[in-house]
Amino acid sequence: MINERAKYIGCNFEQEKWTERLKSNGWNKDIPTCFIFEGNSMYLDRDVIEETMQFIGNQCSNGSIIAFDFVDKEWVDFMKPLMKHDPEQLLRFGLFKGEHEVFLKCAGLNVVEYLEYEHLLKRYIPEAIDGETMGYCIDFGGFVIGRV
């Protein structure tokens, strides 16, 4: 655990109300909260993502943040027919390039940081002596930090 005050609260977003899980675990809406929502959005329906963002934007105190990644909507649409044989891995949610700011604004959130493929490469994947990157990252969509 990073900090004894940090809590991991797991939830199946399709079968449970994550907000109820949060409240039953002692969450206090008056204390700024950091939500880490990585690797989730692309596998959930848009209404679930909108509800999540709106809860944070409307119910959480100023200074609360959410960090999440998303897949490009064009990629989601391209992959749907190819993944129909495996409903567990079906990509459902995505945002078009540049849509992240309006999407968050509609939920009462402001973009603090937005990282695309090139930014992620420069920041997190080091270069070898010869200038080649030492890892791999696909151009999947983006990573956003939004704040109330």
Side-chain angles (χ1 to χ4, degrees):
M1 188 177 284
I2 297 170
N3 180 309
E4 66 272 359
R5 295 185 314 168
K7 266 192 177 177
Y8 169 78
I9 302 171
C11 178
N12 181 330
F13 283 84
E14 293 179 329
Q15 297 176 1
E16 303 173 76
K17 283 296 237 181
W18 75 275
T19 54
E20 296 306 317
R21 296 284 310 264
L22 192 63
K23 293 171 186 174
S24 69
N25 276 276
W27 173 72
N28 181 342
K29 72 177 190 148
D30 297 322
I31 298 173
T33 306
C34 173
F35 297 92
I36 300 173
F37 194 63
E38 290 182 278
N40 290 296
S41 70
M42 60 282 301
Y43 300 110
L44 299 170
D45 291 325
R46 186 177 183 100
D47 61 330
V48 173
I49 307 305
E50 288 175 349
E51 180 182 304
T52 298
M53 300 300 165
Q54 288 170 0
F55 175 83
I56 294 168
N58 297 316
Q59 300 294 318
C60 295
S61 67
N62 286 338
S64 293
I65 63 171
I66 180 165
F68 72 102
D69 53 350
F70 66 90
V71 175
D72 189 293
K73 179 73 168 89
E74 289 181 12
W75 182 250
V76 171
D77 293 342
F78 173 77
M79 291 301 292
K80 268 187 183 169
L82 303 174
M83 299 180 84
K84 64 183 173 197
H85 67 282
D86 189 358
E88 291 291 315
Q89 297 299 315
L90 183 64
L91 299 177
R92 299 182 194 167
F93 173 79
L95 293 172
F96 289 109
K97 282 214 183 292
E99 184 184 4
H100 64 281
E101 199 160 346
V102 171
F103 182 74
L104 288 182
K105 189 65 105 182
C106 288
L109 297 162
N110 296 304
V111 174
V112 173
E113 188 165 22
Y114 170 61
L115 300 171
E116 291 182 303
Y117 169 74
E118 297 84 15
H119 304 112
L120 292 167
L121 276 179
K122 286 179 185 170
R123 186 179 290 185
Y124 298 109
I125 301 181
E127 289 184 359
I129 294 171
D130 63 4
E132 292 293 319
T133 57
M134 295 175 66
Y136 182 74
C137 177
I138 62 169
D139 190 1
F140 64 93
F143 184 84
V144 180
I145 298 174
R147 176 179 287 147
V148 177

